[in-house]
């Protein structure tokens, strides 16, 4: 029983010579762009309108502020961990150090689900946007190749979704510097599109549309916060880059908190302009931003917004596959998964084999399986990681051998970590019973694999 809770020593993690280590190539700016790339996807073009119409009204800005506050709490906990333990694996590795092997496996298994389903779901959405764009250019993709396997609807595979996942997987195998350059370009494009809408839309804002500002009361603002919280998910993937970051004690906290701050400002500005252009009651549509632009007669921006949405989703896919591949690398290096998962290609200094394995599985899911009913599992996996990291800070502070004098520290300890833990638990209770059941099945599968393989092959077995 004690073996289930055996812990990794920080010295062993920081000195894993001969076990495969990743090259340090990323700076603070690269990390901020990785975070923005992961967080800002299609949600910014949809959630500000639909949540305002049905929950918050113009006070959705407060919903975004509340959600940002909760994420910032978790983000500070991630920052302290990544500063103290600058090793790839994110919450999985942190759990290994402070709670032990079985908890680490539990968190790692949850994160594999999060990254994989998130990438597959976004790839499916990307395919829909691409098909819509191509139709505007009078280019059509056969119906049989435009959706998951569903003979009743005449669809057999989602070819665009499969191709985009495989292309991004290939890009990631070329090296992190190359991937970061492409991510940088795509982030600049989508942020530019968002700023274009905000600047143009400002001239059509009518303050009367902000009245009443809080039509659904404080309850509506809070329920709206629970929904828009998920627009911030993805910043935790930044901590997966820890082992590839130059000066991680400084740059990782900047990357995590900086990306959250930038995305919060973008979401709030988008919400204010959107609800100022047209009454919030009209925004319960699938494309509220394009809808608002059509109302003010700026049709030329609609196509640019679609381009921004397509570009935005590509960066989300990239960061999610990246985070998942680095997680699998860390678990494989610890022996809980086959060692092939931790094999590094000497030419590109990336885990090429595990990136392709992860990418092919995601491509299969995106291409053949309807993912709508499984989308909430992404949120469950994320929140499990958040709760473990938030609670783990309290145990981290007890280990004086881990703390670094020049590392980031969560302020107002232990109040903020406890608040973060409770806030994440509350959001988990808002998820459906079906999500809890599906998550339970996933964890049973994971435990079976751990007891049949992981426990026997753990590298901690070699330590006498």
């Amino acid at each position: 029983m004690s073996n289930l809770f055996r812990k990794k020593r920080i010295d062993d993690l920081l000195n894993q010579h001969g076990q495969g280590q990743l090259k340090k190539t990323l700076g603070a700016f690269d990390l901020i762009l990785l975070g923005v790339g992961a967080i800002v996807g299609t949600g910014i073009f949809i959630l500000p309108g639909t949540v305002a119409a049905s929950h918050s009204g113009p006070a959705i800005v407060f919903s975004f502020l509340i959600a940002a506050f909760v994420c910032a709490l978790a983000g500070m906990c991630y920052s302290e961990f990544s500063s103290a333990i600058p090793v790839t694996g994110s919450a999985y590795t942190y759990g290994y150090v402070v709670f032990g092997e079985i908890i680490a496996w539990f968190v790692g298994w949850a994160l594999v689900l999060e990254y994989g389903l998130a990438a597959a779901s976004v790839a499916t959405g990307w395919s829909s946007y691409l098909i819509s764009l191509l139709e505007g250019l009078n280019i059509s993709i056969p119906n049989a190749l435009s959706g998951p396997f569903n003979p009743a609807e005449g669809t057999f595979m989602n070819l665009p979704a499969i191709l985009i996942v495989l292309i991004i997987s290939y890009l990631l195998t070329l090296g992190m510097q190359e991937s970061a350059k492409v991510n940088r370009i795509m982030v600049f494009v989508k942020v530019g599109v968002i700023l274009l809408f905000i600047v143009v839309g400002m001239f059509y804002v009518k303050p009367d549309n902000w009245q009443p500002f809080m039509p659904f009361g404080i309850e509506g603002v809070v329920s709206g916060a629970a929904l828009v919280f998920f627009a911030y998910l993805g910043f935790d993937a930044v901590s997966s880059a820890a082992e590839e970051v130059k000066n991680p004690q400084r740059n990782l906290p900047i990357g995590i908190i900086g990306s959250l701050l930038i995305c919060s400002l973008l979401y709030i500005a988008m919400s204010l302009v959107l609800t100022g252009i047209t009454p919030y009651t009209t925004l319960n549509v699938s494309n509220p931003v394009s809808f608002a632009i059509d109302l003010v007669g700026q049709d030329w921006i609609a196509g640019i917004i679609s381009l921004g949405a397509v570009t935005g989703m590509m960066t989300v896919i990239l960061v999610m596959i990246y985070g998942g591949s680095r997680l699998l690398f860390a678990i494989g290096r610890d022996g809980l998964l086959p060692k092939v998962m931790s094999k590094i290609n000497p030419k590109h200094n990336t885990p090429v084999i595990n990136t392709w394995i992860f990418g092919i599985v995601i491509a299969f899911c995106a291409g053949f399986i309807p993912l709508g009913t499984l989308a909430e599992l992404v949120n469950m996996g994320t929140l499990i990681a958040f709760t473990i990291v938030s609670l783990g800070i309290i145990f981290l502070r007890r280990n004086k051998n881990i703390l670094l004098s020049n590392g980031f520290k969560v302020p107002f300890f232990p109040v903020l970590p406890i608040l973060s833990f409770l806030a994440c638990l509350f959001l988990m209770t808002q998820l459906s019973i079906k999500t809890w059941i599906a998550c339970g099945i996933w964890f049973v599968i994971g435990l079976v694999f751990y007891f049949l393989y992981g426990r026997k092959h753990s590298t901690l077995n070699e330590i006498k």
Side-chain angles (χ1 to χ4, degrees), residues 79-199:
S79 295
E80 178 164 340
F81 260 117
S82 60
S83 178
I85 309 172
V87 180
T88 194
S90 187
Y92 158 78
T93 299
Y94 310 150
Y96 219 144
V97 171
V98 296
F99 293 119
E101 188 168 276
I102 189 66
I103 301 299
W105 172 260
F106 184 78
V107 175
W109 195 246
L111 286 176
V112 168
L113 184 70
E114 175 202 344
Y115 292 137
L117 281 182
S121 298
V122 175
T124 302
W126 182 89
S127 174
S128 299
Y129 268 86
L130 178 69
I131 290 171
S132 177
L133 275 177
L134 292 177
E135 287 176 350
L137 300 173
N138 295 318
I139 301 173
S140 60
I141 294 178
N143 187 55
L145 303 178
S146 63
F149 185 79
N150 187 358
E153 297 290 333
T155 59
F156 294 89
M157 65 182 292
N158 194 332
L159 183 60
I162 293 174
L163 291 177
I164 191 60
V165 170
L166 295 180
I167 289 170
I168 289 177
S169 297
Y170 172 71
L171 171 64
L172 285 168
T173 64
L174 297 180
M176 197 52 221
Q177 275 187 311
E178 290 74 11
S179 302
K181 289 176 184 177
V182 174
N183 180 69
R184 187 179 302 135
I185 295 170
M186 292 191 292
V187 168
F188 281 142
V189 170
K190 71 176 176 181
V191 171
V193 169
I194 293 167
L195 293 177
L196 175 66
F197 169 80
I198 292 170
V199 171

Side-chain angles (χ1 to χ4, degrees), residues 6-8 96 101 334 458-464:
R6 52 191 174 180
K7 301 174 183 178
K8 275 276 188 180
Y96 219 144
E101 188 168 276
D334 292 335
S458 171
T459 55
L460 292 185
N461 291 333
E462 302 167 7
I463 301 175
K464 302 299 182 182

Side-chain angles (χ1 to χ4, degrees), residues 421-435:
F421 174 75
L422 295 176
C424 293
L425 279 183
F426 169 75
L427 290 173
M428 287 172 68
T429 65
Q430 305 304 302
L431 299 175
S432 68
I433 295 297
K434 289 182 179 179
T435 301

